[in-house]
Amino acid sequence: MFFFTYQLTIRFNISSSFSSFLYCEGAQPIRIIVVSDYKCNAVSYTREAVIVRPLIMNLGNPDWVTAWANELNSILSETPKLLLLDMGGVLYLSSYAIVKLIALDDKATKATKILVQTNILPEVAKLYDITRKNEVFCIAEDNASAIAHFGA
């Protein structure tokens, strides 16, 4: 069995608020159409759920956390029932970010919606264990298991 390793350089060139181009060295640019105005979260929709992936790896800066949380609140208001927060790219959460997540979870509960955090990295899982937030939040191993358990 052979394994190959390639180094790939990727850069984004934002040309407008609605589209951008992805460049890979040695390849033609690929146009990406942005379907929302969200800057802090990547949003995708399935039949069962809205899946949100934070684009900020370090949620420590209060200004970033506020912008991120405001977008999450907007996304939650547009979510029919199940909102999956894919935390797979988040390496750090400040206490302020955790407070914002608690508020979002409360808002979801009051609106009879379900907020599930998925793909939590060990660094964040350890923080949740220490602060006992793993007892407060709905957490699933991955998006598929969350949809299987909480989906319609």
Side-chain angles (χ1 to χ4, degrees), residues 38-41 54-73 89-94 96-98 100-101:
Y38 300 118
K39 308 280 188 267
C40 302
N41 296 286
L55 299 175
I56 304 168
M57 293 180 359
N58 181 340
L59 287 166
N61 180 309
D63 294 332
W64 294 352
V65 171
T66 299
W68 172 69
N70 288 342
E71 283 188 13
L72 286 176
N73 280 305
V90 177
L91 300 173
Y92 173 77
L93 285 172
S94 67
Y96 183 57
I98 292 173
K100 293 293 188 179
L101 283 173

Side-chain angles (χ1 to χ4, degrees), residues 1-135:
M1 182 177 289
F2 294 97
F3 294 97
F4 297 97
T5 304
Y6 294 95
Q7 185 172 358
L8 180 65
T9 303
I10 299 176
R11 66 182 168 88
F12 285 96
N13 176 21
I14 304 299
S15 59
S16 74
S17 62
F18 297 105
S19 65
S20 62
F21 291 90
L22 173 65
Y23 294 92
C24 298
E25 277 185 14
Q28 293 294 323
I30 302 168
R31 188 175 183 112
I32 299 173
I33 304 299
V34 179
V35 294
S36 69
D37 291 329
Y38 300 118
K39 308 280 188 267
C40 302
N41 296 286
V43 182
S44 59
Y45 303 86
T46 69
R47 190 182 72 212
E48 300 88 2
V50 176
I51 302 170
V52 178
R53 185 178 46 82
L55 299 175
I56 304 168
M57 293 180 359
N58 181 340
L59 287 166
N61 180 309
D63 294 332
W64 294 352
V65 171
T66 299
W68 172 69
N70 288 342
E71 283 188 13
L72 286 176
N73 280 305
S74 295
I75 295 165
L76 179 65
S77 67
E78 300 168 2
T79 300
K81 179 186 173 197
L82 181 60
L83 176 62
L84 303 182
L85 185 54
D86 186 338
M87 300 288 281
V90 177
L91 300 173
Y92 173 77
L93 285 172
S94 67
S95 57
Y96 183 57
I98 292 173
V99 167
K100 293 293 188 179
L101 283 173
I102 292 169
L104 183 72
D105 191 57
D106 289 345
K107 185 176 178 181
T109 301
K110 288 176 184 170
T112 63
K113 298 178 183 183
I114 303 169
L115 171 65
V116 182
Q117 295 183 45
T118 64
N119 297 315
I120 296 174
L121 296 178
E123 297 86 354
V124 175
K126 186 175 181 180
L127 176 67
Y128 282 179
D129 288 342
I130 291 169
T131 60
R132 305 188 90 181
K133 296 305 177 221
N134 56 343
E135 299 170 7

